[in-house]
Amino acid sequence: MKKGLFLLLFPWLSLAAFSQTETKEELVKEGWNFGALPAVTFDTDLGFQYGALVNLYHYGDGSRYPKYNHSLYFEVSRFTKGSGIYRFYYDSDQLIKGIQSSVDLTYLTDQAYDFYGFNGYDAVFNDSWVDDESEDYVSRVFYDYDRKMFRFKVDLQGKLVGSKFRWIGGMNLLNFEVAPVNLEKLNKGKKEDDLLPDVDGLYDKYLDWGLISAEEANGGFVPVFKGGLVFDTRDNKPHPMRGQWSEAVLVVSPKVLGAESSFSKLSLTHRQYFTLVPKDLSFAYRLVYQTTLGGEVPFYYQSQVITSIMTGSTSEGLGGSRTLRGIRRNRVIGDGIFFGNAELRWKVARLQLLNNNFYIGLNGFTDFGRVTKKTVLNLDTDVFNAFSLANDPKDYFNPDSEAMHISYGVGVRVAMNENFIIAIDYGMAADKRDGDSGLYMGLNYLF
């Protein structure tokens, strides 16, 4: 993995070294500008990505550059591990004067969506069960289930006091389709020695044990409405060099429109940015606390991380490319969570190419998080006794062992016109109970 990471980074590092002497004055962009890429990336949790994405920016007369008037993002892509992204995202502070507006319309498919149980380290992860070279091998998809998610999201922000304090409002309509991994589909066309074994995964076992209710087993519709406050002094949204971005968001999901349950959650997020060397070196950190205030949250919604605005196609975890890099996706799930990220961000070199401004950046980071409010495991006596006769509970549960999950790593950023940012991160888990490492290629800074 480390050798592969070096091969990915070498061209960008070479270009950085070559371009250190570039000193041209930065170009000011006007009108429409776009970044288009074949979506050829890699994510340890998802596999290789293939497809295409386009991000259109409108800068108007250029007087606000690098701020844009309108941003339109389109993506159609697939991953070799069975996931798919079909997304349109729009962001603007000019559509409705005085209001920051964003609209997200997304359909996500995942043939093997990670599921390790609830409450972090309280749920045992047996890495030998998914290693086909191990004597204890069970199935490569033992910790997976099939998930499809449709999302229609509208976020609004408007001035409250001055230009720094704003109100937050929005809605997020989510529909989940959940099922066991489709082994027949995954095994289609494979040689006999490569077939996935026909065994129950952890999701199937949680259904049998009553940890996932029959009502939630196939997914459902979750309408979410939110309101909150934000304090924002960032100097630039895609890559702030100074300022802070703090928010308090309350979300409520009522039992309407066919929803199976109702609940409320509170999310508190603080991000801060410090300039160490003007224009080139900064330190940034993010702290997030999210908890359930009341009601019963469907298990398939518990992986959602609440934000005022999304910077990627998903906001899920804890674990994976958007929260704890290097830790397995969805490793840390509970009714309440806390996590943080700290990054040192260095813009190594700047250059102009094809009438566009570019910079190349290097990051060093550490991520950390844990469950703060545990999901109650409703095992009745009869079910638990039957389970214990057929299984060793220590293979699945290690009560009261939850602690801080920590990872660390490095990253590279290649940015065009300050807004279109290609991101590569490599993170390593500090504890084997969280996995080994992860390599992620995508867009934008983490926060």
Side-chain angles (χ1 to χ4, degrees), residues 179-195:
V181 172
N182 189 334
L183 295 175
E184 182 179 351
K185 183 177 181 180
L186 292 182
N187 282 330
K188 187 176 181 180
K190 288 187 176 181
K191 297 179 180 179
E192 185 173 352
D193 292 343
D194 297 328
L195 294 177

Side-chain angles (χ1 to χ4, degrees), residues 82 174 351 407:
L174 297 159
L351 65 152
S407 66

Side-chain angles (χ1 to χ4, degrees), residues 103-370:
V103 177
D104 177 273
L105 183 64
T106 299
Y107 182 58
L108 303 174
T109 65
D110 203 324
Q111 293 181 158
Y113 187 72
D114 300 77
F115 178 68
Y116 299 98
F118 307 117
N119 305 330
Y121 290 139
D122 284 15
V124 175
F125 167 58
N126 295 286
D127 57 352
S128 62
W129 289 4
V130 293
D131 182 357
D132 57 9
E133 297 182 358
S134 168
E135 293 181 358
D136 299 325
Y137 176 67
V138 178
S139 172
R140 179 170 55 81
V141 294
F142 180 80
Y143 292 107
D144 298 311
Y145 63 83
D146 188 294
R147 189 197 76 166
K148 298 178 177 65
M149 186 184 79
F150 171 82
R151 180 179 67 225
F152 176 62
K153 193 171 189 286
V154 176
D155 292 319
L156 303 172
Q157 291 188 29
K159 293 181 181 179
L160 193 62
V161 178
S163 60
K164 308 303 181 184
F165 280 101
R166 301 196 298 270
W167 55 264
I168 298 172
M171 70 172 186
N172 191 6
L173 305 181
L174 297 159
N175 191 71
F176 297 86
E177 295 180 23
V178 175
V181 172
N182 189 334
L183 295 175
E184 182 179 351
K185 183 177 181 180
L186 292 182
N187 282 330
K188 187 176 181 180
K190 288 187 176 181
K191 297 179 180 179
E192 185 173 352
D193 292 343
D194 297 328
L195 294 177
L196 293 168
D198 187 8
V199 298
D200 286 344
L202 187 64
Y203 166 77
D204 303 279
K205 293 182 179 295
Y206 269 48
L207 284 176
D208 292 340
W209 302 336
L211 299 181
I212 296 175
S213 69
E215 291 77 13
E216 297 179 4
N218 299 320
F221 176 64
V222 182
V224 178
F225 302 91
K226 73 179 181 183
L229 300 172
V230 61
F231 178 68
D232 188 356
T233 63
R234 291 173 297 167
D235 59 340
N236 175 262
K237 288 196 300 182
H239 178 203
M241 290 291 291
R242 59 179 173 80
Q244 71 180 73
W245 174 18
S246 304
E247 61 192 45
V249 181
L250 175 67
V251 301
V252 176
S253 179
K255 198 171 183 178
V256 297
L257 304 175
E260 297 173 342
S261 60
S262 63
F263 61 88
S264 59
K265 282 180 173 282
L266 174 68
S267 176
L268 303 175
T269 304
H270 176 70
R271 313 166 186 85
Q272 197 158 3
Y273 311 87
F274 302 91
T275 297
L276 303 181
V277 176
K279 295 186 178 182
D280 289 333
L281 183 64
S282 65
F283 173 74
Y285 72 89
R286 173 177 67 169
L287 300 174
V288 181
Y289 172 69
Q290 179 175 308
T291 192
T292 302
L293 299 177
E296 295 186 7
V297 184
F299 91 93
Y300 45 79
Y301 183 85
Q302 286 284 37
S303 61
Q304 301 298 305
V305 177
I306 299 165
T307 62
S308 62
I309 189 168
M310 296 185 67
T311 58
S313 60
T314 61
S315 180
E316 298 180 317
L318 300 179
S321 62
R322 307 308 304 176
T323 52
L324 307 179
R325 291 158 290 186
I327 292 175
R328 287 177 176 263
R329 182 177 59 155
N330 297 335
R331 177 66 178 101
V332 188
I333 299 294
D335 250 2
I337 55 173
F338 164 80
F339 72 95
N341 317 95
E343 293 191 354
L344 195 63
R345 301 172 174 177
W346 178 29
K347 295 179 180 178
V348 179
R350 301 174 188 273
L351 65 152
Q352 292 177 10
L353 182 66
L354 301 177
N355 201 35
N356 288 290
N357 302 303
F358 287 85
Y359 74 75
I360 298 167
L362 294 178
N363 293 352
F365 64 82
T366 183
D367 303 334
F368 49 91
R370 62 166 297 161

Side-chain angles (χ1 to χ4, degrees), residues 18-80:
F18 176 77
S19 61
Q20 289 279 15
T21 58
E22 292 284 349
T23 58
K24 293 181 181 179
E25 184 177 351
E26 187 174 59
L27 297 169
V28 173
K29 304 301 295 183
E30 300 178 4
W32 287 99
N33 181 262
F34 75 94
L37 285 175
V40 181
T41 68
F42 179 79
D43 185 306
T44 294
D45 299 308
L46 304 174
F48 283 97
Q49 183 185 23
Y50 55 95
L53 58 88
V54 176
N55 206 160
L56 301 171
Y57 297 97
H58 185 259
Y59 294 103
D61 60 6
S63 60
R64 306 174 70 215
Y65 178 83
K67 292 183 178 180
Y68 54 79
N69 292 344
H70 305 276
S71 170
L72 293 89
Y73 177 88
F74 304 86
E75 178 177 351
V76 176
S77 63
R78 298 283 301 172
F79 289 86
T80 53

